[in-house]
């Protein structure tokens, strides 16, 4: 048999899932920051402070939950600054919107308020925010620190997410192979006859190349159908 050419894990995940689900792992040439704050003065102050960090920053501002929702759908963000007190909702609800969004789930959330309540800060941190701060604490140095920390948040979230996807893929592959084997045995055919069907299935999932076939090394010797 010809040998299989394995496909790298990142490419395998990209082929196995809709492209939209990968947006959370994208990073451009600058930091993309989304601000949710209904106070125009505070919005402008944050914009000026972000610009003074010396880092390349693109900012989008929203004053309502509706505008915030539209901004999340329109772009991918590295950092999301959320004011807790909002006229039509609160910051914890906005944080859940970010963390459940298919394109922005990996963004680093920073909760802010003119006077941060302890109970709000605890709940926000429990939900996975990067930090919770009074607005007066959002200095140039602090914002620079938060943006640099967002790189680590993105990397850790993406690594965990890719690991989960690969684990799901292994389960699905094992289930598919087991079904093929059961079908072959039901009709009294030899297991060897399903090699091509197994590899067709693997190629369809983006786990090997369709024009190079070799079952050797695809499965570990340990039962049942344990994939590397």
């Amino acid at each position: 048999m010809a040998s299989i050419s394995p496909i790298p894990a990142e490419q395998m995940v990209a082929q196995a899932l809709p492209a939209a689900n990968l947006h959370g792992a994208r990073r451009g040439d600058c930091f993309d920051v989304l601000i949710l704050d209904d106070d125009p003065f505070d919005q402008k102050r944050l914009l000026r402070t972000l610009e003074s960090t010396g880092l390349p920053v693109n900012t989008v501002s929203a004053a309502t939950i509706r505008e915030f929702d539209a901004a999340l759908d329109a772009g991918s963000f590295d950092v999301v600054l959320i004011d807790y007190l909002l006229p039509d909702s609160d910051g914890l609800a906005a944080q859940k919107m970010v963390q459940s969004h298919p394109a922005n789930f990996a963004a680093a959330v920073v909760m802010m308020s003119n006077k941060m309540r302890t109970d709000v800060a605890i709940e926000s941190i429990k939900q996975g925010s990067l930090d919770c701060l009074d607005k007066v604490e959002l200095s140039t140095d602090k914002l620079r620190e938060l943006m640099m920390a967002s790189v680590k948040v993105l990397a850790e979230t993406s690594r965990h997410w890719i690991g989960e996807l690969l684990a799901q893929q292994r389960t699905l592959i094992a289930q598919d192979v087991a079904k093929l084997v059961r079908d072959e045995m039901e009709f009294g055919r030899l297991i060897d006859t399903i090699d091509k069907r197994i590899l067709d299935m693997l190629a369809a999932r983006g786990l090997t190349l369709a024009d190079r076939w070799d079952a050797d090394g695809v499965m570990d010797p340990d039962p049942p159908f344990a994939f590397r």
Side-chain angles (χ1 to χ4, degrees), residues 68-135:
F68 185 67
D69 190 30
L72 288 173
D73 288 341
S76 295
F77 299 96
D78 302 296
V79 181
V80 182
L81 303 172
I82 299 175
D83 184 17
Y84 175 69
L85 294 175
L86 300 167
D88 52 350
S89 185
D90 64 55
L92 292 175
Q95 179 176 340
K96 289 180 181 178
M97 290 171 61
V98 176
Q99 293 170 334
S100 63
H101 194 276
N104 287 293
F105 64 91
V109 172
V110 177
M111 190 71 65
M112 57 186 183
S113 179
N114 284 320
K115 188 173 182 180
M116 179 58 64
R117 286 168 30 192
T118 302
D119 61 326
V120 171
I122 291 173
E123 185 60 30
S124 180
I125 293 293
K126 283 172 59 178
Q127 291 184 19
S129 67
L130 178 60
D131 211 341
C132 300
L133 300 164
D134 289 343
K135 289 183 179 179

Side-chain angles (χ1 to χ4, degrees), residues 37 102 113 146 151 166 192:
D37 196 322
S113 179
L146 290 170
V151 177
L166 293 176
D192 290 345

